[in-house]
Short mmCIF file of all heavy atoms in Angstrom, two decimals:
data_model
loop_
_atom_site.label_atom_id
_atom_site.label_comp_id
_atom_site.label_asym_id
_atom_site.label_seq_id
_atom_site.Cartn_x
_atom_site.Cartn_y
_atom_site.Cartn_z
N ALA A 21 -7.06 171.77 169.54
CA ALA A 21 -8.26 172.07 170.25
C ALA A 21 -8.46 171.06 171.27
O ALA A 21 -8.82 171.37 172.49
CB ALA A 21 -9.42 172.06 169.27
N TYR A 22 -8.21 169.76 171.01
CA TYR A 22 -8.36 168.71 171.97
C TYR A 22 -7.36 168.99 173.17
O TYR A 22 -7.74 168.76 174.29
CB TYR A 22 -8.02 167.37 171.28
CG TYR A 22 -8.04 166.24 172.32
CD1 TYR A 22 -9.22 165.73 172.79
CD2 TYR A 22 -6.77 165.60 172.71
CE1 TYR A 22 -9.18 164.67 173.71
CE2 TYR A 22 -6.75 164.56 173.60
CZ TYR A 22 -8.03 164.05 174.07
OH TYR A 22 -8.02 163.08 174.91
N ALA A 23 -6.14 169.33 172.76
CA ALA A 23 -5.15 169.59 173.81
C ALA A 23 -5.54 170.72 174.76
O ALA A 23 -5.40 170.61 176.00
CB ALA A 23 -3.78 169.86 173.09
N SER A 24 -6.07 171.77 174.21
CA SER A 24 -6.48 172.95 175.09
C SER A 24 -7.67 172.51 175.88
O SER A 24 -7.74 172.86 177.05
CB SER A 24 -6.84 174.17 174.30
OG SER A 24 -6.40 174.05 172.97
N PHE A 25 -8.52 171.66 175.34
CA PHE A 25 -9.64 171.18 176.10
C PHE A 25 -9.17 170.33 177.33
O PHE A 25 -9.58 170.59 178.46
CB PHE A 25 -10.57 170.34 175.20
CG PHE A 25 -11.65 169.62 176.00
CD1 PHE A 25 -12.73 170.32 176.50
CD2 PHE A 25 -11.56 168.27 176.26
CE1 PHE A 25 -13.76 169.64 177.18
CE2 PHE A 25 -12.50 167.59 176.95
CZ PHE A 25 -13.62 168.30 177.45
N MET A 26 -8.23 169.42 177.04
CA MET A 26 -7.70 168.58 178.13
C MET A 26 -6.99 169.44 179.14
O MET A 26 -6.96 169.13 180.38
CB MET A 26 -6.68 167.57 177.52
CG MET A 26 -7.42 166.41 176.87
SD MET A 26 -8.66 165.45 177.75
CE MET A 26 -7.62 164.66 178.95
N ASP A 27 -6.36 170.48 178.65
CA ASP A 27 -5.61 171.36 179.59
C ASP A 27 -6.51 172.09 180.49
O ASP A 27 -6.17 172.37 181.64
CB ASP A 27 -4.80 172.41 178.72
CG ASP A 27 -3.53 172.82 179.41
OD1 ASP A 27 -2.87 171.94 180.10
OD2 ASP A 27 -3.17 173.95 179.32
N LYS A 28 -7.72 172.40 179.99
CA LYS A 28 -8.69 173.10 180.88
C LYS A 28 -9.18 172.12 181.91
O LYS A 28 -9.39 172.52 183.14
CB LYS A 28 -9.89 173.59 180.02
CG LYS A 28 -9.58 174.79 179.22
CD LYS A 28 -10.70 175.88 179.30
CE LYS A 28 -10.28 177.16 178.60
NZ LYS A 28 -10.42 176.99 177.15
N VAL A 29 -9.42 170.89 181.52
CA VAL A 29 -9.93 169.93 182.39
C VAL A 29 -8.86 169.55 183.46
O VAL A 29 -9.18 169.52 184.63
CB VAL A 29 -10.41 168.59 181.67
CG1 VAL A 29 -10.90 167.52 182.67
CG2 VAL A 29 -11.48 169.04 180.64
N LYS A 30 -7.72 169.35 182.98
CA LYS A 30 -6.61 168.94 183.83
C LYS A 30 -5.52 169.88 183.61
O LYS A 30 -4.75 169.68 182.69
CB LYS A 30 -6.10 167.46 183.53
CG LYS A 30 -6.77 166.45 184.35
CD LYS A 30 -5.91 165.12 184.23
CE LYS A 30 -6.77 163.99 183.79
NZ LYS A 30 -6.01 162.80 183.22
N PRO A 31 -5.36 170.92 184.42
CA PRO A 31 -4.29 171.89 184.17
C PRO A 31 -2.99 171.22 184.09
O PRO A 31 -2.70 170.42 185.00
CB PRO A 31 -4.40 172.88 185.39
CG PRO A 31 -5.83 172.70 185.78
CD PRO A 31 -6.24 171.28 185.51
N GLY A 32 -2.12 171.67 183.20
CA GLY A 32 -0.81 171.07 183.07
C GLY A 32 -0.73 169.83 182.09
O GLY A 32 0.29 169.42 181.83
N TRP A 33 -1.87 169.52 181.66
CA TRP A 33 -1.88 168.30 180.73
C TRP A 33 -1.05 168.51 179.52
O TRP A 33 -0.40 167.72 179.03
CB TRP A 33 -3.31 167.99 180.38
CG TRP A 33 -3.60 166.69 179.64
CD1 TRP A 33 -3.78 165.53 180.15
CD2 TRP A 33 -3.53 166.53 178.17
NE1 TRP A 33 -3.88 164.59 179.19
CE2 TRP A 33 -3.73 165.20 177.94
CE3 TRP A 33 -3.34 167.39 177.13
CZ2 TRP A 33 -3.81 164.63 176.72
CZ3 TRP A 33 -3.37 166.80 175.78
CH2 TRP A 33 -3.60 165.47 175.57
N LYS A 34 -1.16 169.72 178.94
CA LYS A 34 -0.55 170.08 177.66
C LYS A 34 0.94 169.95 177.78
O LYS A 34 1.57 169.35 176.96
CB LYS A 34 -0.99 171.53 177.25
CG LYS A 34 -1.11 171.68 175.79
CD LYS A 34 -1.59 173.01 175.55
CE LYS A 34 -1.91 173.37 174.09
NZ LYS A 34 -2.59 174.67 174.01
N SER A 35 1.48 170.56 178.78
CA SER A 35 2.92 170.57 178.93
C SER A 35 3.40 169.14 179.23
O SER A 35 4.60 168.73 178.77
CB SER A 35 3.38 171.55 179.98
OG SER A 35 2.79 171.23 181.17
N LYS A 36 2.61 168.39 179.90
CA LYS A 36 3.01 167.02 180.31
C LYS A 36 3.03 166.12 179.05
O LYS A 36 3.82 165.20 178.96
CB LYS A 36 2.07 166.45 181.30
CG LYS A 36 2.76 165.62 182.39
CD LYS A 36 1.73 165.34 183.51
CE LYS A 36 1.62 163.91 183.77
NZ LYS A 36 0.48 163.63 184.72
#
Side-chain angles (χ1 to χ4, degrees):
Chain A
Y22 175 75
S24 346
F25 171 76
M26 285 304 285
D27 207 37
K28 283 224 176 77
V29 179
K30 265 195 233 163
W33 188 90
K34 211 173 185 174
S35 55
K36 219 170 126 188

